[in-house]
Amino acid sequence: MNELGTNVLKVMESSSLGRMSIYVLTKQSEVLGIDMENISPEDVTKLANRFKSVLPFFLGEETDEVLVQIRRVTNSISAVTT
């Protein structure tokens, strides 16, 4: 998994999802046809949109904060690479 994917996973693991994060990230990446080894900022945007409907089942109100943190990670990576 590249740096962006690792950072997204860390955000998810720091939430109530904990160790289940890798399974949620893997499954949703699979559903969206995203290569987990080479996640791009565009892929994270797709995942975040998908997470809006999936994560509330696991996280409830914590979902919005996790999505904000995921977007921050994506924006910081995008800023460095441009």
Side-chain angles (χ1 to χ4, degrees):
M1 188 178 312
N2 63 9
E3 181 183 0
L4 181 55
T6 300
N7 289 337
V8 169
L9 181 59
K10 285 179 184 177
V11 167
M12 293 174 70
E13 286 178 335
S14 70
S15 73
S16 298
L17 271 176
R19 290 181 161 189
M20 280 187 50
S21 300
I22 188 66
Y23 301 108
V24 174
L25 181 58
T26 301
K27 178 62 179 177
Q28 297 313 311
S29 294
E30 201 175 280
V31 167
L32 295 171
I34 294 171
D35 177 11
M36 291 256 314
E37 295 302 314
N38 297 301
I39 294 178
S40 70
E42 295 79 23
D43 293 334
V44 176
T45 300
K46 292 177 192 174
L47 282 166
N49 288 333
R50 178 79 175 178
F51 288 159
K52 284 180 192 176
S53 61
V54 173
L55 290 183
F57 177 76
F58 299 101
L59 299 177
E61 294 177 8
E62 191 180 359
T63 299
D64 290 336
E65 181 58 32
V66 170
L67 291 173
V68 166
Q69 290 179 16
I70 288 172
R71 287 188 185 102
R72 283 185 188 145
V73 166
T74 306
N75 291 340
S76 68
I77 294 290
S78 294
V80 169
T81 59
T82 57

